[in-house]
Amino acid sequence: MQTFQYSLENNLWQLHADLQSNEYRHGHYTSFYVQDPKLRHIHKAGVRDRVLHQAIFRILYPIFDKSFIYDSYSCRVDKGTHASVNRLVKFCRQISINSQRQVFGLKCDIKKFFDSINHDILYGLIAKKIKDKNVLLLVDILIKSYEPGLPLGNVTSQLFANIYMNELDQFVKHKLKQKYYMRYSDDFIILSRNRKELVDLIVPIQQFLDSKLSLSLHPNKTIIRKFIQGFDWLGYVVLPNHRVIRTKTKKRMFSKLKYLNCQLKSNKITRKAYFRSQQSYLGILTHCKGYKLKQDIYNLSRYKK
């Protein structure tokens, strides 16, 4: 423990010296894969660099967050997945007049979003608000530390993504005049009573993304659905009278619990570890219609709380 503290302290002093002398250079990334739920390639910076990432994040977040639209929900204080789903439910109730009118939803996401973020465009957006040359130098080093786009793993990546996509948010809200719009990372949804209105939005949105952000809509994930069919959003499906967990999420949840149950029965994990995972899934179900699923989760194991 003392050796670790000594090493950390030395690294921090060295980082401080490098920053003062403008000799700081970003280190290499360690890469690995996680299933979340799809396979994602994560790039992890060294401790020394992560300290700097956190410092840059703390400087930039309060400056940029105040300029984001209310309905941007990814990696923001007092926002998040469940706040976004709740907001979608509220939008649906408002526009459908409590399910008395038909509602359509245009759901889109960006093709290879993080890999497609243009470094020069991102730096330019940050430089519009930040004038301190030393901060901009570090931002430039950080942005260029990974090619192409941004790495999944940096604390700054989601903030940079929000700065980048805020351009689309402002365009949709103020140029296209869409009241019922919300975004989470590179996924966004727009609601309307008029299906044709949503169809007519696709081309201007794609043109804006292409010309201003060098991005493109995922062709297989640009979908218009009726409210009565359910809006698939952030792991849940929002329907006129309730919400349910997404089928893929449910299958993944039970597959994981069955595996953990086998591990438990063969004494490869503790009951505490099993129940910790079990409770996390039960927590997900508190946000939707899930009584039967809760019973099924309990029935997977003979150990019940």
Side-chain angles (χ1 to χ4, degrees), residues 98-234:
N98 290 324
S99 303
Q100 295 181 57
R101 301 278 185 90
Q102 180 62 276
V103 177
F104 298 89
L106 168 64
K107 185 172 178 288
C108 309
D109 83 359
I110 307 299
K111 184 178 180 180
K112 297 181 179 178
F113 175 58
F114 280 93
D115 287 341
S116 301
I117 290 177
N118 182 287
H119 287 180
D120 292 334
I121 295 174
L122 174 59
Y123 179 84
L125 293 173
I126 295 173
K128 284 182 180 180
K129 285 186 176 291
I130 305 300
K131 302 304 178 184
D132 187 291
K133 292 182 179 179
N134 291 323
V135 173
L136 287 176
L137 175 62
L138 294 176
V139 166
D140 187 54
I141 291 172
L142 175 53
I143 291 174
K144 292 178 179 177
S145 69
Y146 179 85
E147 288 279 359
L150 297 176
L152 292 173
N154 285 357
V155 67
T156 51
S157 289
Q158 288 289 350
L159 173 59
F160 287 168
N162 277 336
I163 292 171
Y164 207 79
M165 289 295 284
N166 184 55
E167 299 301 298
L168 174 66
D169 298 341
Q170 301 297 333
F171 174 73
V172 173
K173 293 290 286 185
H174 302 299
K175 297 295 184 181
L176 299 182
K177 307 294 184 181
Q178 294 303 305
K179 178 180 179 181
Y180 299 105
Y181 164 86
M182 59 169 53
R183 180 180 61 80
Y184 189 97
S185 188
D186 61 322
D187 293 318
F188 60 92
I189 188 169
I190 306 172
L191 305 182
S192 174
R193 291 179 189 157
N194 189 326
R195 188 180 191 280
K196 186 179 183 302
E197 178 186 4
L198 296 179
V199 172
D200 292 343
L201 290 174
I202 296 174
V203 170
I205 287 174
Q206 178 57 77
Q207 289 176 340
F208 178 85
L209 288 170
D210 181 57
S211 63
K212 300 296 184 181
L213 299 175
S214 293
L215 298 174
S216 60
L217 294 175
H218 196 300
N220 299 327
K221 296 182 180 180
T222 300
I223 302 167
I224 295 178
R225 289 176 64 88
K226 297 178 181 178
F227 186 24
I228 57 174
Q229 295 174 301
F231 295 143
D232 189 332
W233 186 246
L234 304 179

Side-chain angles (χ1 to χ4, degrees), residues 23-83:
E23 293 180 357
Y24 170 77
R25 297 295 179 270
H26 199 284
H28 296 293
Y29 288 93
T30 301
S31 68
F32 55 94
Y33 290 89
V34 297
Q35 200 82 27
D36 182 38
K38 62 183 179 182
L39 192 66
R40 297 183 186 276
H41 197 186
I42 307 298
H43 288 79
K44 182 180 178 182
V47 174
R48 176 173 172 271
D49 295 317
R50 295 205 305 272
V51 170
L52 181 65
H53 296 176
Q54 191 64 239
I56 292 174
F57 177 86
R58 291 187 180 188
I59 291 171
L60 298 185
Y61 180 85
I63 295 172
F64 282 94
D65 188 71
K66 65 181 69 173
S67 68
F68 296 157
I69 65 169
Y70 181 87
D71 289 305
S72 167
Y73 286 90
S74 176
C75 297
R76 297 180 64 196
V77 176
D78 296 327
K79 299 291 183 176
T81 300
H82 296 122

Side-chain angles (χ1 to χ4, degrees), residues 1-14:
M1 184 67 178
Q2 288 182 340
T3 302
F4 172 78
Q5 289 177 337
Y6 176 77
S7 176
L8 178 61
E9 185 176 346
N10 279 353
N11 272 306
L12 291 176
W13 279 111
Q14 186 60 53

